Amino acid sequence: MMLTSWRGQQFTTPAELVAAVRAGEVRHLLLDEVGCRTPRAASCTPVVRWALAHATDVSARAGLGTGLLLLELHA
């Protein structure tokens, strides 16, 4: 599921992501936006803000380096 374009155009709404998470269709989210690491970051779209507010960062557990953020989503 693609949330936004590389230019920040939103493809998925927060409600659509919530529905997918609750249905068990989406469990993880991979972000490469270095500037969008907290729900309060101005560069975040509403769908990414929701994801950041309802997830656990599992990047280190997955062995990811800097520049990538792996989130485990919670409905």
Side-chain angles (χ1 to χ4, degrees):
M1 172 181 276
M2 191 165 180
L3 301 183
T4 63
S5 72
W6 63 275
R7 290 186 177 184
Q9 177 185 357
Q10 185 169 289
F11 291 137
T12 304
T13 67
E16 291 169 330
L17 181 57
V18 169
V21 171
R22 286 185 178 156
E25 297 169 354
V26 176
R27 294 181 48 208
H28 294 88
L29 174 65
L30 180 65
L31 294 175
D32 66 357
E33 279 283 328
V34 175
C36 190
R37 298 245 174 202
T38 68
R40 295 182 183 174
S43 62
C44 292
T45 61
V47 69
V48 174
R49 284 187 185 137
W50 181 90
L52 289 167
H54 296 88
T56 302
D57 182 352
V58 294
S59 305
R61 187 171 56 187
L64 295 180
T66 58
L68 293 174
L69 183 65
L70 182 63
L71 303 173
E72 184 174 42
L73 297 168
H74 313 286

